[in-house]
Amino acid sequence: MRGIFIVMEGPDGSGKTTQMNLLKEYLDKKEYETVITREPGGTAVGEAIRNIILTPDSDERSDTK
């Protein structure tokens, strides 16, 4: 059986994570195997980068250090 790749896009705060979780819950109930990932993310390093990017006042993005 072949898989499918579903992408959810939209601005911050538009409900992508909510919809993704609802879809996963639905597919899990139908006994489909699901994998959720996000960019950047999915690994410890990716999550750290994501947190830096999503923190607007983060000093870690500054080149003044």
Side-chain angles (χ1 to χ4, degrees):
M1 186 164 114
R2 297 178 70 172
I4 61 171
F5 187 72
I6 300 171
V7 177
M8 295 191 176
E9 295 187 21
D12 291 347
S14 64
K16 299 178 297 291
T17 300
T18 299
Q19 293 304 314
M20 176 183 60
N21 290 330
L22 288 170
L23 179 58
K24 180 182 179 359
E25 182 180 319
Y26 172 81
L27 293 173
D28 287 347
K29 285 180 182 175
K30 298 285 186 178
E31 298 185 4
Y32 287 98
E33 181 180 346
T34 59
V35 176
I36 292 178
T37 187
R38 60 184 181 189
E39 294 297 328
T43 65
V45 172
E47 290 299 323
I49 293 169
R50 180 179 173 80
N51 287 334
I52 291 168
I53 291 170
L54 294 177
T55 305
D57 59 345
S58 173
D59 290 337
E60 297 185 40
R61 293 193 302 174
S62 175
D63 62 356
T64 59
K65 285 187 175 182

